[in-house]
Structures are given as structure tokens and as C-alpha cells.
Amino acid sequence: MMKYLDLEAVNAPVSEEIEERVNAVIRSGWYLKGETTQTFEAQYAHYIGTNHCVACGNGLDALTLVFRAYMEMGVMQEGDEVIVPANTYIASILSVTENRLVPVLVEPDPDTLQIDDRLIEQAVTERTRALMIVHLYGRCAYTDRIGDICRRHDLKLIEDNAQAHGCMYRDSLFTNHSSLKKTGSLSDAAAHSFYPTKNLGALGDAGAVTTDDEELATVIRALGNYGSSRKYVFDYVGRNSRMDEIQAAVLSVKLKYLDEWNARRKQLASIYINKVKNPAIRIPMSERDCVWHIFPVFTALRDQLQAWLKEHGVETQIHYPVPPHRQQCYQKWNSLSFPLTEQIHQQELSIPCNQAMTEEEAERIADLLNSFA
């Protein structure tokens, strides 16, 4: 059986380097809030293109701490609204409701599967304080129109970059290299997850916030350290959300190879995009800067296709079977209707697409998709 994602194979090329760095941390006797984490923060801020990176426990904490910090700074208060894509993973929305803010769901663009920038402005009210974009599947969700809406309505722009490490935004007005910016640097603040399955994955939970706002970074760092800016002095009612030194060491190793690994994912994705011609299966629109954290295909026969691929030795996953507004934890939204979101969640099937695969494996999967009746 071909695994959807074989983490052992993904990590194998750098396993010796990881073991060397992890062993160095173990021998150091310093496991939290040390030089290894500080080094990764500096490396990742440089890679993303921001002035600050604040490491934390996981991606959900990163998002939650951004909103909490804005509330501590007086930028937002309980009951304020945050526009979010309706078809996102639930963590995006949990970070909003955790802070007693109000999510306002907006449908995606059917072509890009990202929040539809044509629908955002009609969702803005006098209580709207922020817009969260989620770079789903590894595709950049930012558009010039989104930037313009945020400027005109004085909204904070927040990126959920959990699925798009290394993804680029290419300004439509320019084509030279200086016009390229990485997701995670396009907003007031961005949250990153380093869950092991991500394009840049740790060996456990880890996350970070990137921003150019020094005050915001300072408040987030304190909030993630029990609310403390210096030992035993607590400015905020904070929480414990810190990256440990071992995860920072692992991420520093992997960061060096991220662009190479993303390039490999793009090569495999191009095989699917160019070779799959089954009219019963919709392939996502090609995008040269997408880093393909997930390669989704869509079909009304999703369960049958998944069974067909399993029968032929290919493991797949579904991202995600139930949309947020239909979840039990948000019962008050269960009667809401988001037809496009619901269709995406009913038809999406994720096929293997990662740097540990061979081109022959990708071609075999493409052939299986074409032969599915």
C-alpha cells in the first residue's frame, strides 16, 4: 500500500542531520527558551521576510495568540467580527471563538478554492475588525483586492499559513523578483503550524507567529509565557505555549531544504494536472507558486474513488468531510447554507503528493484516476 504520506521516508534524507542536532540539544541540558529556539526564530523570520518571529506551541495557539494580543492592545474587543473562509479547517475558526470574537463565514472562489474576494466587502459591518485568509492546500489566498478592502475599511489582515510554508505571492502588476513575497509576510500577522505532516514539519507540535509589528510580537511572546515579560512579573493573564528546543533544532535543519522539497511537490503536481483527463474528476486549477501541501481532487463519486484507489494500493485522505458550520460544536450554525463549501467538503479527496514520492508513483496514480469509471 502506498501511504498517503510516509513521514519516515520524508524525514529519511535528513535523519542523520536531525539526530546530530537533537543530540546536541540533549547534551546541552537546556530544553526550553534557549539559543536553539532563538536561532530558528531568526532563521524563519528571515526566510518569510518579516522583522519578527515568535515561536509557540502549535498553529492553533499561534492564531489564538494573535487575536488575544490585539484584544490586549485595545484593537479588538469581545463581540467584534472576523471574516473567515467558510471552507477552512476548524482551527481557523476556533481561534476566533476562543477569544469571544464572532466569525463571519464567506464562501470560496470555485476556481481557486480560497476565500472569494468578490464576496468579502458585503460581509463587512461596523463591528468588523479583521479578515483572516487561509492559504488552503498550499495556494496563496491573498489578492490585491483583499489588500485594498483591508486598507479602506481599516481591517487587520491575518494569515493562517499552516498549509503554505514557502508559498509565494506574485504581484500581478510586476514580474521581477522584487515583486515576490512569501505567504506569512503579506499581512499584519501570520500564524504557522509545524505539525509533522506540514511541508515544514517538526517531530511533534510546534507553531509560530510572524509579523513586522514589534509591539504585537512583544505582547504575543509574553502571552505565550504565562503573560510574563520578565520572570515572575505577569502583565497579562497568559498561557503556556512555547516551542521546545528539540523541535526548534529539527525545524532549523528542515528549513534549509524546504524550497527544494516544495519544488519536488510542484513537479509531482504537474504530472497530475497535465495527465488526469477523467471528466468525472475535477483537478485544481494550476498555480505555479502553489506548494501543494495537499493535492485535492473533486468528484461526486468521492467514496467510490477512494475505495477504487485503496483497492489498487493507494492510500488517500479527505480534507475535510464536515464543514465547520455543520459541526456539533457550532450547533447554532447548523442551519446555515453555504452550498459551495458544502459541495467541496462532500467531493474533496486528497491524493499523495510529497517529496518522498517518485514520478513513476505519481504517473501510476494519474493512470488510476483516468481509469476510474
Side-chain angles (χ1 to χ4, degrees), residues 161-179:
N161 199 49
Q163 299 187 5
H165 312 106
C167 179
M168 304 295 293
Y169 166 68
R170 196 176 297 267
D171 193 315
S172 59
L173 299 177
F174 303 97
T175 57
N176 59 45
H177 184 72
S178 63
S179 67

Side-chain angles (χ1 to χ4, degrees), residues 86-107:
N87 63 315
T88 187
Y89 180 56
I90 201 167
S92 309
I93 295 172
L94 289 173
S95 69
V96 178
T97 57
E98 170 75 11
N99 285 289
R100 298 185 181 179
L101 299 168
V102 179
V104 177
L105 307 183
V106 171
E107 287 266 60

Side-chain angles (χ1 to χ4, degrees), residues 94-283:
L94 289 173
S95 69
V96 178
T97 57
E98 170 75 11
N99 285 289
R100 298 185 181 179
L101 299 168
V102 179
V104 177
L105 307 183
V106 171
E107 287 266 60
D109 182 309
D111 292 326
T112 66
L113 307 172
Q114 310 302 314
I115 191 167
D116 193 332
D117 61 9
R118 298 165 297 185
L119 304 178
I120 292 172
E121 197 149 20
Q122 66 192 48
V124 175
T125 74
E126 62 181 15
R127 295 304 303 270
T128 308
R129 296 293 178 269
L131 164 62
M132 183 196 297
I133 57 175
V134 184
H135 304 298
L136 284 167
Y137 311 118
R139 182 187 296 269
C140 181
Y142 181 83
T143 66
D144 294 340
R145 179 181 287 178
I146 284 174
D148 179 62
I149 290 171
C150 289
R151 285 188 292 271
R152 287 190 289 105
H153 292 279
D154 193 24
L155 306 180
K156 293 296 182 184
L157 179 61
I158 296 163
E159 295 171 82
D160 182 340
N161 199 49
Q163 299 187 5
H165 312 106
C167 179
M168 304 295 293
Y169 166 68
R170 196 176 297 267
D171 193 315
S172 59
L173 299 177
F174 303 97
T175 57
N176 59 45
H177 184 72
S178 63
S179 67
L180 299 178
K181 295 183 70 175
K182 286 190 174 72
T183 56
S185 69
L186 305 172
S187 59
D188 295 288
H192 308 255
S193 167
F194 304 117
Y195 187 75
T197 60
K198 305 299 185 182
N199 290 35
L200 179 61
L203 298 186
D205 271 323
V209 175
T210 54
T211 182
D212 285 331
D213 187 329
E214 183 175 3
E215 180 185 5
L216 181 68
T218 300
V219 175
I220 289 173
R221 191 175 297 279
L223 285 169
N225 187 35
Y226 299 100
S228 173
S229 55
R230 53 194 174 97
K231 197 167 186 179
Y232 300 134
V233 176
F234 303 93
D235 303 311
Y236 312 102
V237 179
R239 64 199 304 167
N240 178 14
S241 181
R242 299 173 297 200
M243 181 186 294
D244 67 66
E245 294 283 278
I246 288 178
Q247 304 308 330
V250 171
L251 291 168
S252 285
V253 170
K254 288 188 166 187
L255 182 59
K256 296 183 296 184
Y257 303 98
L258 178 58
D259 289 342
E260 175 187 332
W261 292 342
N262 283 342
R264 181 60 177 166
R265 287 173 178 261
K266 293 177 184 180
Q267 289 175 346
L268 298 172
S270 68
I271 292 175
Y272 296 142
I273 291 168
N274 294 321
K275 194 165 185 179
V276 177
K277 304 297 181 183
N278 189 332
I281 299 172
R282 183 165 74 92
I283 298 294

